[in-house]
Amino acid sequence: MWTVLTQIFPYAVAFTIPLLITALGGLFSERSGVVNIGLEGLMVVGSFGGALAIFKLQPAFPNGAVWIGIMVAMLSGAVFALLHAFASINLSANQVISGTAINMLAGALTVFLARNITGSGNIRIASGLTRMDIPVLSSLPVVGKLFFTQTYPSTWLVLAILGLSWYVLYQTAFGLRLRACGEHPHAADSAGVNVFRVRYLAVILSGAFAGLGGVIILITYSGEFTGSVSGLGFLALASLIFGQWKPLGILGATFFFGFASTIANVSQVMPALASIPGVLLKVFPYVLTLIALIIFSKTTQAPRAAGEPFEHGKR
Amino acid sequence: MKLQFGKGSFKNVAVALLAIVFGLLAGAVLITLTGSDPLAGYAYLFKGGLMSLERFGDTLATSTPLILSGLSVAFAFKTGLFNIGAAGQMLMGGFCATAVGLTLDLPSVMILPLAIMASIVGGAVWAFIPGILKARFNVHEVVSTIMMNWIGYWVVYYAVPGYFKGEFLETESRAIPDAASLKVGWLSQLFNGSFINLGLFLAIAAVVLIAFILNKTVIGYELKAVGYNRFAAEYAGINVNRNIVLSMMIAGALAGLGGATLYIGNASNIQIGVLPAQGFDGIAVALLGANSPWGSLLAALFFGLLYSGKGFMNAMIQIPPEIADTIIATIIYFAATSVLIERLLKRLRSRKRGQ
């Protein structure tokens, strides 16, 4: 059992991390009061921007290209998120529909551009990030084997962002204002908070994070831009709700999805699980999410004003 | 409230048409930026969907599942529900219809109604769960329908190879017998061999029926009342929870029927590992059609034309076929930001008055 666990753990983590960072992006957006169903599309845009940058730069800078790709991915996600911000903040559009438009536009536009650039709709990168052992810590008993061997640098980056996000949301004035905008924008407004600006920042941040999530998929386990992130953005959205709009809750929810999906993927080769029908293992995370949503329904911590456009005169 | 011939109707049509114009303009800019001629591109795009009787039939057939998925999303919208799960409902409906077609050995007049019923039930059941979760536990339907999409995806992924494995490929089912197909000889001949099928008539019948239910019946009135203001509806004595479940089930039934037109109409087997894109396009159709049944019909025909012609355009002038999807997505973005268009219209009108 222990060997199996140490074998599948890196895969579970690799699957968790892009979900985690994307859900964190969603957290900022929704806590500020803007529902962002476009996370899926923003991940695709990040994956495209990153793949393109890495593809073009890799011959010249074999080492630095990946990191430049990460930055380009975050930037492209942030810029694309402006479309959602403009529609939902300035124009009071239905945020779910605007997000859906973002998803459709991202999937179509990136493949269109990729086809013009590479001929096929895909962009393959020569190499991504390499796994590494953390010195000293990796030789610790138990934890060393699980957490500090064969890790991607991006994993530590995302965990650092998670800690920072918690700090910003709960320990800074900006975080308090951001949460206030999502709970009661008019109260925040009368206290002198610029609701528009806070929400813009939050949506841009969610785009950057989702873009990062998309590029992490590319540079860790997929290695190729294909115009889709196979529903991971929607899964991140579900994790956000499963995790009840809290950073640590999101960490738990995304890790649950990462672990459950990995188990479903490797069940064939694990004697303990081979007897369970594959379909049950595959649908397990989704069914459990539905059950969790029922359980949380009475005590839901959803931001009160999420999804509601803010208008000055309306009280 | 009045969608027919009223002032609101004019506004909806104007917004939709302007959104289309903006979408086509954005597409033209993209085509130009990538070094092709947009006018020639659009000429080929529309020619590809319309230039012969066969292609016209294909365009109608391509539109058919879109009509039904758009109708599904539009109907749920009327009750204030966002059915993002039309894809999963289509998949389950299509799977049930295919299963009937592959299991029962009956003449066409018996098997077709059974397969169609199966698709309606399959879709309705798949939407019933999010409906009851919304009504009883206030679980947001956007998340629950997304979960149902993935559950359906995996159920089909395992059920097709398990029970209906194809002759050559593990990833698709056997082909259904001709008796269980919505394609009929006379219709294909009428359109010179197009894959147009009886699904189109089912879709148009559904449009008529839904328009009737929404505008002329008590059920429709109650459903819309819940959509406008569920608290006011409750105060007026309308059973809100029952209407939410009912609305989701009807929406699911429509999407399920759309699945039948897709898998036993346009196609003749079911593939695993894909959620039908038509389910998500239904959102676009409903939005451009201003959530009205007839609007959805027109929007679906337009999108069907773009989809049907894109292959021809790609073959003739090397513009990537994804331009069609990009144009549709842009149209949806402009339709979503209709405030912008409304402001533009208002400014135009006031300028006219000033002169």
Side-chain angles (χ1 to χ4, degrees):
Chain A
M1 196 64 210
W2 174 246
T3 26
V4 173
L5 193 63
T6 52
Q7 273 166 357
I8 66 171
F9 206 80
Y11 293 98
V13 171
F15 193 78
T16 303
I17 291 300
L19 270 185
L20 173 61
I21 189 67
T22 307
L24 269 180
L27 176 75
F28 275 97
S29 175
E30 299 217 348
R31 285 308 286 258
S32 83
V34 180
V35 170
N36 193 348
I37 206 172
L39 291 175
E40 173 95 359
L42 295 169
M43 282 179 98
V44 172
V45 169
S47 162
F48 171 74
L52 188 62
I54 296 170
F55 177 77
K56 291 279 183 202
L57 293 175
Q58 215 149 30
F61 317 92
N63 294 321
V66 171
W67 292 98
I68 297 173
I70 288 178
M71 283 190 259
V72 172
M74 291 182 75
L75 196 68
S76 37
V79 170
F80 212 74
L82 282 175
L83 282 176
H84 184 54
F86 178 66
S88 49
I89 301 170
N90 292 78
L91 300 180
S92 311
N94 181 329
Q95 296 170 5
V96 176
I97 294 172
S98 160
T100 307
I102 297 286
N103 285 335
M104 298 175 81
L105 194 58
L109 186 64
T110 54
V111 177
F112 175 81
L113 293 175
R115 228 183 259 281
N116 273 305
I117 293 160
T118 65
S120 81
N122 299 357
I123 304 175
R124 183 157 258 300
I125 59 168
S127 65
L129 286 176
T130 40
R131 288 178 180 272
M132 57 180 193
D133 292 351
I134 305 289
V136 186
L137 291 174
S138 61
S139 52
L140 287 173
V142 189
V143 261
K145 189 90 181 133
L146 277 185
F147 293 103
F148 299 109
T149 50
Q150 296 292 301
T151 61
Y152 288 116
S154 54
T155 302
W156 301 106
L157 174 68
V158 168
L159 289 176
I161 293 177
L162 172 73
L164 198 66
S165 302
W166 177 85
Y167 179 79
V168 168
L169 274 176
Y170 292 101
Q171 303 293 323
T172 64
F174 173 73
L176 183 66
R177 286 177 195 146
L178 187 140
R179 285 181 289 133
C181 290
E183 296 293 336
H184 202 314
H186 293 111
D189 183 49
S190 53
V193 177
N194 188 337
V195 179
F196 278 29
R197 197 165 63 195
V198 169
R199 286 190 171 180
Y200 251 98
L201 260 173
V203 174
I204 291 170
L205 216 51
S206 80
F209 283 9
L212 179 56
V215 79
I216 286 176
I217 296 174
L218 176 84
I219 58 179
T220 56
Y221 61 85
S222 90
E224 186 173 38
F225 164 80
T226 58
S228 146
V229 291
S230 24
L232 284 187
F234 288 120
L235 210 54
L237 201 67
S239 311
L240 174 63
I241 298 169
F242 198 167
Q244 290 289 293
W245 293 270
K246 290 193 182 80
L248 287 179
I250 291 172
L251 177 66
T254 49
F255 187 71
F256 163 75
F257 273 121
F259 207 76
S261 311
T262 309
I263 285 182
N265 285 336
V266 299
S267 62
Q268 249 42 128
V269 292
M270 286 167 68
L273 293 169
S275 56
I276 304 172
V279 63
L280 289 185
L281 289 169
K282 288 287 191 191
V283 302
F284 171 69
Y286 307 108
V287 174
L288 201 87
T289 305
L290 287 178
I291 295 172
L293 290 177
I294 294 172
I295 294 170
F296 288 146
S297 64
K298 286 271 179 285
T299 58
T300 182
Q301 306 281 319
R304 283 257 166 83
E308 280 175 27
F310 171 70
E311 285 155 40
H312 270 295
K314 207 173 131 190
R315 286 286 186 271
Chain B
M1 289 250 325
K2 275 186 204 150
L3 282 170
Q4 281 110 352
F5 309 115
K7 213 173 175 186
S9 165
F10 168 75
K11 200 187 77 188
N12 286 337
V13 172
V15 165
L17 288 179
L18 274 174
I20 290 175
V21 169
F22 285 145
L24 290 174
L25 278 178
V29 170
L30 261 182
I31 295 174
T32 314
L33 284 179
T34 54
S36 300
D37 176 11
L39 283 179
Y42 281 145
Y44 285 122
L45 184 68
F46 291 116
K47 254 190 205 165
L50 297 169
M51 69 180 171
S52 69
L53 206 52
E54 184 195 349
R55 283 184 181 273
F56 181 60
D58 290 351
T59 297
L60 292 178
T62 310
S63 308
T64 303
L66 293 177
I67 299 173
L68 285 161
S69 65
L71 204 53
S72 166
V73 177
F75 189 82
F77 244 131
K78 287 276 184 197
T79 319
L81 298 164
F82 191 63
N83 182 20
I84 207 169
Q89 294 145 19
M90 280 182 102
L91 186 68
M92 289 315 286
F95 173 71
C96 291
T98 310
V100 167
L102 287 173
T103 320
L104 302 178
D105 187 17
L106 293 168
S108 209
V109 282
M110 292 170 75
I111 200 168
L112 272 185
L114 282 175
I116 289 165
M117 278 309 296
S119 73
I120 290 174
V121 172
V125 167
W126 224 243
F128 167 77
I129 299 171
I132 197 93
L133 290 184
K134 172 86 178 184
R136 285 288 304 277
F137 303 104
N138 202 22
V139 171
H140 203 293
E141 73 279 5
V142 165
V143 180
S144 60
T145 51
I146 291 170
M147 296 295 116
M148 292 308 287
N149 278 351
W150 288 105
I151 295 172
Y153 172 96
W154 286 113
V155 166
V156 170
Y157 191 93
Y158 281 90
V160 165
Y163 302 102
F164 307 107
K165 198 166 77 180
E167 268 175 83
F168 308 108
L169 288 173
E170 281 269 344
T171 53
E172 60 182 36
S173 73
R174 295 194 301 276
I176 48 164
D178 285 345
S181 172
L182 291 168
K183 287 194 197 81
V184 284
W186 59 268
L187 197 56
S188 304
Q189 274 164 19
L190 196 66
F191 282 89
N192 290 338
S194 149
F195 60 91
I196 188 170
N197 54 72
L198 296 177
L200 180 66
F201 301 110
L202 290 173
I204 291 172
V207 170
V208 174
L209 182 70
I210 292 300
F212 178 77
I213 290 179
L214 279 176
N215 296 324
K216 303 282 178 208
T217 65
V218 177
I219 301 173
Y221 181 81
E222 288 195 1
L223 289 169
K224 282 190 291 187
V226 172
Y228 282 121
N229 187 336
R230 65 180 285 178
F231 302 107
E234 196 163 12
Y235 188 69
I238 293 172
N239 186 339
V240 170
N241 284 346
R242 200 194 60 142
N243 274 296
I244 286 175
V245 177
L246 185 67
S247 169
M248 274 312 280
M249 284 181 75
I250 295 176
L254 289 166
L257 182 62
T261 66
L262 183 62
Y263 293 107
I264 66 167
N266 294 1
S268 50
N269 64 2
I270 190 164
Q271 254 98 37
I272 66 167
V274 269
L275 282 164
Q278 287 86 348
F280 297 105
D281 290 337
I283 302 166
V285 170
L287 191 62
L288 186 65
N291 297 322
S292 91
W294 295 104
S296 299
L297 176 70
L298 293 178
L301 288 172
F302 177 68
F303 288 161
L305 175 60
L306 293 185
Y307 278 132
S308 172
K310 70 181 182 179
F312 183 70
M313 177 197 66
N314 181 232
M316 298 303 288
I317 199 171
Q318 265 90 43
I319 298 170
E322 283 77 18
I323 190 69
D325 310 66
T326 310
I327 291 170
I328 290 177
T330 316
I331 291 174
I332 292 320
Y333 185 75
F334 282 116
T337 55
S338 56
V339 182
L340 210 58
I341 298 180
E342 279 163 30
R343 274 185 209 157
L344 192 76
L345 284 177
K346 209 184 238 171
R347 194 171 301 168
L348 284 177
R349 218 173 292 151
S350 60
R351 190 172 297 169
K352 215 185 237 169
R353 217 171 286 149
Q355 276 173 355

